[in-house]
Amino acid sequence: MPSTAVSPHRIRGLDLLRGFAILLVLLRHSWPQVFGGAGIVGVVVFFTLSGYLITGILVSDVRQHGRVRYGRFYRNRAIRLVPALAFLLVGFVIVEGVVDLIDTRDAVWRTVVLAATYTTNIPGLEPTSRSMTHLWTLANEEQFYLVWPLLLVLGIRFRRLRAVVLGAAVVILAALAVTIVVHRDDLTFLYTLPTTWTIAMIIGAAANLAQARVNRVITERRRPWVAGGAGAGLIVLAFFPDAKSSLIVYAVGGVLIGVLTVALIWYLRTVPIVPSIAKPLLGLGVISYAAYLWNYPVTFWVRDLAPNSWPWIAPIITVALATVSWFLVERPFNRFKARLTHPTVKHQGLAASPSRS
């Protein structure tokens, strides 16, 4: 587990939320029969948190500079995201291209191209290597952030921000409804579509934009109780059987998980001290991005090598590789990003932003 001595720019409580989300993903990949809905819950938690944090960054840019500095925004995202992805792809090429561990050598370069261009979620372009299909989540997120900054700027400039957010939510939900109707005989087709879970990012963004309103609903006194209920609800959903083929999950899962995640955000963002018992979860949150990148392929790679013990071995190897990625790749690039973003500030510690921005 990596050091939890994170930069003051990071919000420790939200790292706990990241740790909770990636733990659900690890559990789903290792014990799918038990944690049927854990993968969906974990991914949608990440989407909601992303919408909340990235919208805050974009709005802050508009308020301070009168516009979104697109070059700076996309540069920072690339520095934060691409090095760890490149590190994964190097490992993928070695394991499946050179060693050909799971007999998918012919699919390697197509998979690398789709992963590098964030297009693995487009129907018909899915990577033919089964071990890398999880990268659809990165594609969803990056495609969303090609559009969302423009919508925010329009909403702020014409003073129609509420209409923009509501309009985006209506469009996403309408698209989801149409795809459910069209693919009702094979709902698993919806799982990686850009329209299926994007509503969670809208919910996170809306919560950031309407903080005063949310504060009136989730008052400081209510926050621990609301967060406790929300956390319990997410845990219950994590055990939902056959979630990937459930009409209920696709119809209301994104909205429900998004709202419950906002309740957790509202409590965890103000937690001053992380108790010692939660430090492992905090550390897991710090390396959550790399852990997500590595866990699915690692699961495929060790399944045949250790058929009886792979569910336990895969998470251990995942955490080890994610820790290497954090210290060897992500932390140095985070420091570089921090120097570019704030050139006059001395950067100590890990210098990591509170999101994958």
Side-chain angles (χ1 to χ4, degrees):
M1 191 64 63
S3 167
T4 55
V6 298
S7 163
H9 294 289
R10 291 185 74 102
I11 302 172
R12 285 172 172 260
L14 297 188
D15 271 330
L16 282 178
L17 184 57
R18 291 185 184 92
F20 171 68
I22 192 60
L23 177 62
L24 291 179
V25 173
L26 298 181
L27 291 173
R28 172 61 175 82
H29 289 165
S30 285
W31 294 279
Q33 297 84 1
V34 178
F35 301 97
I40 290 175
V41 174
V43 165
V44 176
V45 167
F46 276 124
F47 281 162
T48 308
L49 181 58
S50 174
Y52 171 79
L53 290 169
I54 299 299
T55 297
I57 291 171
L58 293 169
V59 170
S60 176
D61 215 23
V62 173
R63 287 174 178 167
Q64 291 182 30
H65 303 278
R67 60 189 176 87
V68 170
R69 293 173 292 173
Y70 295 102
R72 178 180 181 273
F73 174 69
Y74 292 117
R75 178 203 70 196
N76 284 353
R77 284 193 67 77
I79 294 173
R80 175 66 187 98
L81 298 175
V82 172
L85 177 61
F87 184 53
L88 167 70
L89 292 177
V90 169
F92 168 72
V93 169
I94 293 171
V95 173
E96 296 195 24
V98 178
V99 179
D100 199 16
L101 185 63
I102 59 174
D103 194 27
T104 54
R105 179 178 289 159
D106 293 342
V108 165
W109 293 114
R110 171 185 166 84
T111 302
V112 168
V113 169
L114 292 176
T117 55
Y118 294 95
T119 53
T120 56
N121 63 338
I122 298 176
L125 295 183
E126 299 90 345
T128 50
S129 178
R130 296 166 297 154
S131 64
M132 299 291 275
T133 56
H134 68 305
L135 297 182
W136 68 268
T137 60
L138 276 67
N140 273 16
E141 197 172 358
E142 293 316 295
Q143 290 162 14
F144 178 74
Y145 291 121
L146 290 177
V147 178
W148 187 239
L150 299 173
L151 293 179
L152 276 180
V153 169
L154 290 174
I156 293 172
R157 181 168 299 174
F158 294 102
R159 303 193 178 196
R160 293 289 185 271
L161 196 51
R162 185 185 302 179
V164 165
V165 175
L166 287 174
V170 168
V171 169
I172 290 297
L173 290 175
L176 173 60
V178 169
T179 54
I180 288 176
V181 171
V182 172
H183 299 284
R184 60 187 177 276
D185 295 329
D186 182 19
L187 290 174
T188 56
F189 180 79
L190 275 65
Y191 184 63
T192 62
L193 291 183
T195 53
T196 302
W197 310 110
T198 302
I199 186 61
M201 285 185 269
I202 299 292
I203 290 171
N208 190 294
L209 295 170
Q211 293 194 46
R213 240 174 236 197
V214 178
N215 281 331
R216 287 196 292 269
V217 176
I218 311 177
T219 62
E220 186 173 355
R221 192 171 183 177
R222 294 175 182 168
R223 283 174 197 167
W225 299 101
V226 173
L234 292 175
I235 291 172
V236 169
L237 291 172
F239 289 94
F240 196 100
D242 299 321
K244 285 187 179 182
S245 56
S246 169
L247 175 62
I248 295 175
V249 171
Y250 286 110
V252 302
V255 173
L256 178 58
I257 297 167
V259 170
L260 293 176
T261 301
V262 167
L264 279 176
I265 290 171
W266 238 249
Y267 173 67
L268 291 173
R269 67 180 188 160
T270 60
V271 171
I273 299 174
V274 175
S276 297
I277 195 172
K279 290 295 177 67
L281 198 62
L282 178 67
L284 190 58
V286 172
I287 63 169
S288 59
Y289 174 49
Y292 181 82
L293 290 177
W294 282 97
N295 182 241
Y296 202 55
V298 164
T299 299
F300 273 90
W301 297 341
V302 303
R303 190 176 292 168
D304 293 335
L305 297 176
N308 296 323
S309 55
W310 71 264
W312 297 99
I313 294 175
I316 293 171
I317 294 176
T318 295
V319 171
L321 288 170
T323 302
V324 171
S325 175
W326 171 254
F327 283 106
L328 186 66
V329 180
E330 294 173 75
R331 191 167 68 163
F333 275 97
N334 283 343
R335 287 173 169 163
F336 173 63
K337 176 166 72 74
R339 286 196 297 270
L340 289 178
T341 306
H342 307 288
T344 60
V345 177
K346 289 185 178 180
H347 299 284
Q348 299 175 352
L350 303 186
S353 69
S355 70
R356 297 204 301 255
S357 62

